Amino acid sequence: MSDGPYLFDVGVTALAHAGTPVSGRALSYVRRAIDGEIDAVVPYASLVGAHHVLTTVYGFSSEDASALMGRFMDAKRIHWYEKMPEGTVRSGFERAGAVNVNGWDGFYAQVAGEEGAETILTIDDDFDRFEDVSADVILTTDEFATLNGYLGY
């Protein structure tokens, strides 16, 4: 594993905080980012997305999800991406349209490029459609099956 920089996708952040049987790998990346062992880029917008996933997928209360994301925001060794400039959003939409993925994935791919993040940590294989972005899908097929069973899918 390289030292990054890594861009954290919504799914990794949510999974790390969800306490599922397969949260360990995601949590290890988050812990290493918090400790400064890896160079992490985390868009603040992704925390809003992780809050949404925690409440709608993992069944957390809004209060608990807010507290978790608030504590994560306190990590000082993480590079927090604070911006959402028009040009980045437009470029993200262009990227998303070109490879037929959702707008968030296009946005994150664009941010990764602009911020020099070599790899996007994700649970979403859609990032593989971008030729200029390396994606590390952190769960194995068996772990996805375990997660889906845990979620009742």
Side-chain angles (χ1 to χ4, degrees):
M1 177 174 97
S2 76
D3 291 333
Y6 296 99
L7 186 131
F8 282 49
D9 183 32
V10 168
V12 171
T13 300
L15 181 62
H17 291 87
T20 76
V22 297
S23 290
R25 186 166 297 146
L27 185 57
S28 72
Y29 278 107
V30 167
R31 285 183 174 152
R32 285 183 273 180
I34 289 170
D35 291 342
E37 294 173 19
I38 61 172
D39 186 6
V41 176
V42 181
Y44 277 129
S46 74
L47 299 184
V48 177
H51 181 284
H52 175 77
V53 171
L54 286 168
T55 59
T56 61
V57 175
Y58 294 114
F60 282 65
S61 70
S62 183
E63 180 180 19
D64 289 343
S66 295
L68 287 168
M69 293 300 95
R71 284 193 297 275
F72 186 34
M73 288 174 64
D74 292 337
K76 301 301 181 206
R77 294 184 178 132
I78 291 174
H79 171 83
W80 295 103
Y81 183 81
E82 301 175 354
K83 308 173 278 185
M84 193 175 271
E86 179 183 346
T88 301
V89 174
R90 283 187 187 278
S91 294
F93 284 144
E94 289 170 8
R95 292 171 68 102
V99 298
N100 196 31
V101 296
N102 72 58
W104 281 113
D105 289 350
F107 173 72
Y108 293 133
Q110 184 65 30
V111 170
E114 291 178 8
E115 295 297 305
E118 297 171 357
T119 304
I120 298 175
L121 296 175
T122 185
I123 60 171
D124 179 354
D125 63 3
D126 284 348
F127 287 104
D128 290 338
R129 297 182 192 180
F130 297 106
E131 291 182 13
D132 61 335
V133 174
S134 174
D136 183 0
V137 178
I138 66 165
L139 296 181
T140 66
T141 303
D142 288 343
E143 289 169 327
F144 271 115
T146 299
L147 180 59
N148 286 337
Y150 174 82
L151 295 172
Y153 296 153

